[in-house]
Amino acid sequence: HSVNQGYGAAVYTGVWSASKDLIFFTDSDLQFTFAELPEFLKRIDGIDMVIGWRRTRSDPWYRRLFGNGWSWLVNLLFGHTARDVDCAYKLFRREVIERIDVASRGATFSAEFLVRARQAGFRVIELPVNHHPRVAGKQTGARPEVVLRAFRELMQLRNQLRRERAA
């Protein structure tokens, strides 16, 4: 994007622009490598999504605390969504994005993506991935405005899903 629209907007644009039958995404801040991708590719047979969870999270204590709390909250509100909701190591079939849409363009993108995929009945397995200290980029996820937007989007998602169920 010519102007920064947030994490979710960048991922959404990339994922929904992909043209192949299998879609993979990860962050570009070098906290993940492609070393686990062959195992993900082996496990995608008969499955719709293979998503990672950070085996040992290489982040400051407060990022680990916030991340664990966020995953706990998402799982509390929507049922089991993922062990590590925001782990940016996901492989999935094109059918997933053909059948769901994600409204969030902020930090809630991954939560909504997984919640909607699970509710659509897609088969998901979770695999551990190695997580490395950040050597590129700059984290912004703990900024108050990002956190407030994430909570607002999460409540909007909850309300939207309730309206969809009632309709």
Side-chain angles (χ1 to χ4, degrees), residues 1-11 13 105 143 149:
H1 300 126
S2 58
V3 175
N4 186 344
Q5 297 176 25
Y7 176 82
V11 175
T13 298
R105 297 298 185 267
R143 291 191 338 222
R149 179 180 176 185

Side-chain angles (χ1 to χ4, degrees), residues 13-157:
T13 298
V15 166
W16 266 261
S17 297
S19 62
K20 303 301 180 195
D21 292 335
L22 290 178
I23 300 168
F24 171 77
F25 78 83
T26 191
D27 290 344
S28 62
D29 59 9
L30 304 178
Q31 290 189 287
F32 299 101
T33 68
F34 294 111
E36 279 89 9
L37 190 53
E39 184 62 27
F40 276 51
L41 289 166
K42 279 190 232 172
R43 302 291 295 274
I44 195 79
D45 285 339
I47 299 294
D48 301 305
M49 300 177 69
V50 183
I51 62 173
W53 58 270
R54 290 168 274 206
R55 179 180 286 120
T56 303
R57 192 166 174 170
S58 296
D59 280 323
W61 68 269
Y62 60 91
R63 300 257 317 156
R64 292 191 309 270
L65 178 68
F66 293 161
N68 289 337
W70 180 253
S71 289
W72 175 82
L73 179 61
V74 170
N75 286 318
L76 176 71
L77 291 174
F78 303 102
H80 180 75
T81 303
R83 178 175 177 160
D84 186 353
V85 169
D86 284 339
C87 181
Y89 210 89
K90 295 176 174 72
L91 174 69
F92 48 93
R93 297 186 180 285
R94 164 160 301 289
E95 295 89 85
V96 174
I97 63 168
E98 290 173 346
R99 287 198 22 222
I100 68 167
D101 195 19
V102 177
S104 172
R105 297 298 185 267
T108 309
F109 175 86
S110 290
E112 183 177 354
F113 179 72
L114 293 172
V115 165
R116 290 197 179 274
R118 293 256 191 205
Q119 289 186 341
F122 288 109
R123 298 156 300 176
V124 180
I125 60 169
E126 302 179 58
L127 297 178
V129 294
N130 292 308
H131 185 245
H132 306 282
R134 183 185 304 269
V135 296
K138 181 173 91 169
Q139 73 87 17
T140 60
R143 291 191 338 222
E145 64 271 19
V146 173
V147 172
L148 289 173
R149 179 180 176 185
F151 281 112
R152 188 174 59 249
E153 286 182 347
L154 195 64
M155 292 303 107
Q156 288 170 343
L157 173 61

